Amino acid sequence: MDFLRPASWQEALAAKAEHPTAVPIAGGTDVMVEINFDHRRPEYLIDLGRIGDLYEWEVGEDSVRLGASVPYTQIMENLRSELPGLALASHTVASPQIRNRGGVGGNLGTASPAGDAHPALLAAGAEVEVESVRGSRRIPIDDFYTGVKRNALAADELIRAVHIKKADGPQQYSKVGTRNAMVIAVCAFGLALHPETRTVRTGIGSAAPTPVRARTAEEFLDAALDEGGFWDNGKIITPSVAKQFADLCAAACNPIDDVRGTASYRRHAVGVMARRTLTWTWESYRGARRTTEGAA
Amino acid sequence: MRVNFTVNGRPQEADDVWEGESLLYVLRERLGLPGSKNACEQGECGSCTVRLDGVPVCSCLVAAGQVEGREVVTVEGLADFAKQRSCGTGTGAGACAGHTDATPDSAPQGVSLDEAKAWAARPQDSHTGEGAQLSPVQQAFIDAGAVQCGFCTPGLLVAADEMLERNPDPTDADIREALSGNLCRCTGYEKIMDAVRLAAARQGEAV
Ligand SMILES: Cc1cc2nc3c(=O)[nH]c(=O)nc-3n(C[C@H](O)[C@H](O)[C@H](O)COP(=O)(O)OP(=O)(O)OC[C@H]3O[C@@H](n4cnc5c(N)ncnc54)[C@H](O)[C@@H]3O)c2cc1C
Ligand code: FES
Ligand code: FES
């Protein structure tokens, strides 16, 4: 095995181009488990830890450019208001020690259906900035997950950053597991209200071969909120609408039975989380409306 | 490969390191510092917790090559680290004076490998106070009876010490959260909670 230590992003891209099978290592919280247990013996490891740019973030007008290696701890502490869904999801990852090392780039690299960043990214809306010596491109998050633990990266590409839409409304993240810390999701659900476009976006984790959005449920809710004038009148969402939304989210799942839970439990739990996160986010949307109206 | 890094304030060099090796393995097997424990090698138990550039991490999940040029503090250096900290912030003038007496100016700071290997939980000579010293959080663990088999203890000490540095007046929820990456199979955690509360209370009195 060779341990490559590129000092710059350009050097890292060159190394990846020269050795396409080389395994990048960022926080190492996925890679090192595989090496410790002999599940993986890559010929080359590329340490990304020396590339400062990957640990930085920039808050822009409409989006946040989040460097691939920014640890979850930093996201929780510094980006709570811009990226509330991702900050909540980050807080559910493993333990403080793991959150101090692991980040979204590694989560996307592994592309596990159980990765906690994915539902939050799907719900917020995001693009993955990837690069190789051939050039740079942005992959919409909806096209990024291509199969179980597979993503849209080419062999010579590295993830440089993720561009995530800044929240324009309340966001929530909910996760089912056996305890509060150190738990891989049985299933998870992310929801983001986008009052500016009067749309709702979702993300489901651990309930299909890849992280997915519940598109039919989103379309149904967008139409129902629009027809009832809910965005303007700020009324409580009709229980029948919330129930239909929850059922459609459950129907968007394509889960399996495994050691962490059965398929039917996952479907049920996703429905419950969909209804709850809708209630929570809608309540906070109504609360924010009241305050702005009161001030006006 | 060769890895150069700082351990407990002193520069160290590890040779013949395999490229896929973990920091935990380097500490235990190459540098002879068995304080950091190996219980799961998959980030689940926290018994291998060390500070890497100040941040608590599972050393079993850090590749050895990633620590080149960086600073690591292990449980063996915790007492010295805590002492330096209290001197640095100027809150423990008494302790600093003691330190200067015991350490000639020319002596390098930090803890050498030999000192670290000889470390034991109790001072060898209670009259002179020579031998191993304890950090406040270590003393609190002993006083509160928070150690049973002791396998989880080094990781808990490093994690708890870092939390108290950041958050000198933690709530119970803060303590639970900070220690949520450290498993203990013996104590049921209550005495560990007691120990951290005790360390926080003593730290508060000392200021
Ligand atoms: C005990 C434990 C508990 C965990 N709990 C959770 C949990 O609750 N939720 C969760 O989502 N995850 C969990 N994980 C998994 C892991 O922590 C996350 O997936 C984390 O986001 C990985 O980030 P990393 O930087 O450590 O990745 P690494 O291990 O460094 O890399 C992961 C993968 O991504 C690739 N990669 C990394 N950076 C790049 C890049 N810039 N470009 C291209 N490829 C790249 C690597 O080659 C590798 O294939 C857990 C892991 C452990 C050990
Ligand atoms: S040995 Fe590293 S976390 Fe268990
Ligand atoms: S004292 Fe035995 S594992 Fe904690």
Side-chain angles (χ1 to χ4, degrees):
Chain A
M1 197 187 288
D2 248 337
F3 196 87
L4 308 175
R5 275 189 283 228
S8 70
W9 179 244
Q10 297 312 326
E11 271 182 49
L13 294 179
K16 189 68 173 133
E18 195 182 337
H19 312 288
T21 58
V23 173
I25 176 166
T29 61
D30 280 318
V31 172
M32 285 305 288
V33 174
E34 293 185 316
I35 293 178
N36 289 346
F37 284 80
D38 236 338
H39 294 157
R40 203 169 188 178
R41 268 297 122 94
E43 225 182 310
Y44 296 94
L45 280 175
I46 304 182
D47 177 23
L48 302 177
R50 259 141 242 282
I51 304 165
D53 174 46
L54 299 182
Y55 293 84
E56 282 165 20
W57 65 87
E58 246 170 81
V59 179
E61 191 123 317
D62 304 314
S63 63
V64 175
R65 182 182 188 272
L66 181 73
S69 298
V70 175
Y72 292 116
T73 307
Q74 299 286 335
I75 299 172
M76 283 159 54
E77 286 174 4
N78 300 297
L79 293 166
R80 182 142 290 206
S81 53
E82 293 86 356
L83 309 174
L86 186 64
L88 286 168
S90 299
H91 203 159
T92 75
V93 173
S95 65
Q97 288 93 325
I98 305 281
R99 294 196 290 269
N100 284 339
R101 296 282 296 164
V104 174
N107 217 234
L108 289 167
T110 300
S112 157
D116 282 304
H118 314 316
L121 295 178
L122 286 166
E127 286 182 344
V128 186
E129 181 186 335
V130 305
E131 198 171 337
S132 71
V133 289
R134 296 173 292 124
S136 170
R137 63 179 177 131
R138 288 209 194 179
I139 307 173
I141 195 70
D142 291 313
D143 302 333
F144 188 79
Y145 311 106
T146 54
V148 182
K149 299 203 172 185
R150 301 183 72 86
N151 60 35
L153 284 185
D156 61 348
E157 282 178 325
L158 293 174
I159 301 167
R160 182 163 200 176
V162 190
H163 299 257
I164 308 154
K165 289 233 176 71
K166 270 162 70 174
D168 61 319
Q171 303 186 346
Q172 271 294 343
Y173 184 76
S174 185
K175 172 172 169 180
V176 174
T178 42
R179 60 198 282 266
N180 273 337
M182 202 61 95
V183 94
I184 297 183
V186 174
C187 52
F189 192 83
L191 183 74
L193 302 185
H194 298 285
E196 277 173 17
T197 47
R198 303 202 158 183
T199 55
V200 174
R201 280 176 68 121
T202 59
I204 300 175
S206 267
T210 65
V212 290
R213 277 169 68 192
R215 286 174 190 269
T216 316
E218 292 174 8
E219 281 160 20
F220 160 78
L221 189 57
D222 287 349
L225 293 179
D226 190 45
E227 271 162 37
F230 286 94
W231 293 106
D232 291 318
N233 63 30
K235 283 202 189 132
I236 294 176
I237 291 181
T238 330
S240 63
V241 169
K243 179 168 187 316
Q244 176 80 12
F245 173 68
D247 290 347
L248 289 169
C249 287
C253 302
N254 179 15
I256 54 166
D257 293 328
D258 68 10
V259 287
R260 280 178 283 138
T262 62
S264 69
Y265 174 74
R266 286 189 157 103
R267 226 178 253 116
H268 171 76
V270 164
V272 172
M273 290 189 289
R275 186 166 40 74
R276 284 187 191 160
T277 52
L278 177 58
T279 310
W280 294 334
T281 49
W282 192 255
E283 275 311 302
S284 93
Y285 172 69
R286 296 175 66 220
R289 266 185 87 257
R290 276 196 296 271
T291 345
T292 38
E293 275 179 6
Chain B
M1 66 178 170
R2 172 176 293 179
V3 182
N4 285 288
F5 63 124
T6 302
V7 183
N8 298 325
R10 301 269 181 99
Q12 303 294 349
E13 183 178 288
D15 267 320
D16 300 321
V17 173
W18 174 60
E19 285 70 17
E21 209 161 287
S22 69
L23 168 60
L24 177 62
Y25 191 92
V26 171
L27 291 170
R28 291 179 57 87
E29 311 297 336
R30 310 233 177 251
L31 300 182
L33 298 179
S36 312
K37 298 296 176 231
N38 177 1
C40 74
E41 281 199 299
Q42 52 180 315
E44 295 272 353
C45 74
S47 61
C48 64
T49 303
V50 301
R51 290 179 69 168
L52 175 58
D53 286 347
V55 176
V57 304
C58 296
S59 60
C60 69
L61 298 183
V62 177
Q66 294 186 294
V67 303
E68 176 72 33
R70 305 204 190 260
E71 288 189 23
V72 172
V73 174
T74 71
V75 72
E76 287 96 339
L78 199 62
D80 184 69
F81 185 77
K83 199 170 198 176
Q84 303 281 342
R85 177 173 57 213
S86 66
C87 295
T89 55
T91 51
C96 293
H99 192 72
T100 333
D101 285 350
T103 324
D105 281 349
S106 55
Q109 293 205 320
V111 182
S112 73
L113 287 185
D114 286 339
E115 286 168 313
K117 285 177 201 168
W119 194 90
R122 282 169 209 289
Q124 261 113 46
D125 186 329
S126 54
H127 294 293
T128 62
E130 275 172 22
Q133 8 149 338
L134 299 177
S135 68
V137 71
Q138 286 169 315
Q139 189 62 52
F141 266 62
I142 292 177
D143 296 343
V147 182
Q148 288 190 25
C149 81
F151 212 78
C152 66
T153 312
L156 276 161
L157 290 170
V158 173
D161 179 73
E162 191 267 348
M163 180 202 60
L164 289 170
E165 177 182 305
R166 251 186 310 121
N167 179 0
D169 189 19
T171 63
D172 280 5
D174 294 339
I175 302 174
R176 284 182 195 282
E177 161 118 25
L179 304 185
S180 61
N182 295 78
L183 295 184
C184 173
R185 300 300 304 265
C186 302
T187 63
Y189 301 103
E190 282 308 319
K191 302 273 185 191
I192 292 171
M193 294 292 294
D194 289 345
V196 181
R197 287 187 206 110
L198 181 63
R202 285 178 179 167
Q203 183 174 283
E205 281 165 21
V207 176

